[in-house]
Amino acid sequence: MHVQEWLETVPAVAVYALVGVVIGLESLGIPLPGEIILVSSALLASQHGEIDPVVLGASATAGAIIGDSIGYAIGRKGGRPLLAWLGGKFPKHFSEGHIATAERSFEKWGMWAVFFGRFVALLRIFAGPLAGVLRMPYWKFLIANILGGILWAGGTTAVIYYVGIVAESWLKRFSWLGLVAAVLVGLTSMLVLKRKAKKAGQNLEAAEAQVP
């Protein structure tokens, strides 16, 4: 079933909860389609008055901020053994190459990696736990986490909602295009990161091979 069609079958409160939970779990470090759920829910809100876009945006923002904060706490407590465990559970997402790429981003950009990572599918999963593992000062993490969560979750909800209102006559076609666009953006960002991660992994292996 189409995601939006499925969302139409559940009450508004359940939509708010679903969006918050899925985005929260994704931000915590579990690979889930948070962006697709958010886009579909915002489109649904533009069609049905039962779903309040403000409450929807607040739910998404809260899920993003809380999930990232929990991920930070888990990463800070678990350290690198946690990354090794995640690599065993989710090898496609937490491979050594992906972790190396994310670490370089954090070393280069610091708290901005948390902020801008919210807009990249793979980094959205990494940001919280990795910031904790690397022991980024919590106040820096919190500022970037809150600002990134508000801009990404609230901004995405507002943009998709108002575009849906303006383009009401094209809404059915746009719902498909919106989902396709979200998937394509996510896949593109993941492919770019995967290529960088593969290169980082090869460099890491080469460096380890040179160590006597």
Side-chain angles (χ1 to χ4, degrees):
M1 183 183 292
H2 190 282
V3 175
Q4 190 173 346
E5 291 175 352
W6 180 80
L7 287 172
E8 289 177 353
T9 65
V10 299
V13 175
V15 174
Y16 303 145
L18 177 67
V19 168
V21 169
V22 170
I23 290 177
L25 291 175
E26 182 189 37
S27 301
L28 189 152
I30 299 175
L32 290 174
E35 193 167 39
I36 294 177
I37 292 294
L38 180 57
V39 169
S40 298
S41 300
L43 284 170
L44 186 62
S46 69
Q47 299 177 60
H48 299 279
E50 295 85 359
I51 298 178
D52 188 330
V54 175
V55 177
L56 179 65
S59 300
T61 301
I65 294 172
I66 294 172
D68 245 15
S69 296
I70 294 174
Y72 175 91
I74 293 174
R76 193 172 180 89
K77 184 175 181 180
R80 291 193 174 277
L82 173 65
L83 296 180
W85 180 83
L86 288 171
K89 293 293 183 180
F90 307 104
K92 291 184 178 180
H93 297 86
F94 289 91
S95 66
E96 290 186 5
H98 285 166
I99 292 173
T101 298
E103 283 185 332
R104 284 208 309 276
S105 297
F106 271 71
E107 290 172 0
K108 183 177 181 180
W109 299 106
M111 63 185 292
W112 292 109
V114 177
F115 177 83
F116 288 112
R118 176 62 61 185
F119 299 87
V120 181
L122 191 58
L123 286 181
R124 195 157 53 242
I125 300 170
F126 271 111
L130 190 56
V133 170
L134 298 178
R135 297 193 173 276
M136 175 183 289
Y138 183 68
W139 68 270
K140 287 186 176 182
F141 170 80
L142 185 61
I143 292 173
N145 180 26
I146 292 175
L147 293 178
I150 292 174
L151 189 59
W152 175 74
T156 298
T157 302
V159 169
I160 297 299
Y161 175 79
Y162 284 113
V163 168
I165 292 293
V166 171
E168 185 175 1
S169 62
W170 296 83
L171 198 51
K172 279 194 174 181
R173 184 181 302 177
F174 180 77
S175 68
W176 282 100
L177 292 176
L179 287 173
V180 171
V183 172
L184 289 177
V185 170
L187 287 175
T188 301
S189 61
M190 287 185 68
L191 287 174
V192 171
L193 286 172
K194 184 176 181 180
R195 185 164 57 249
K196 290 184 178 180
K198 184 178 180 180
K199 184 177 180 180
Q202 291 172 346
N203 292 337
L204 183 62
E205 290 176 0
E208 291 176 348
Q210 292 176 0
V211 175

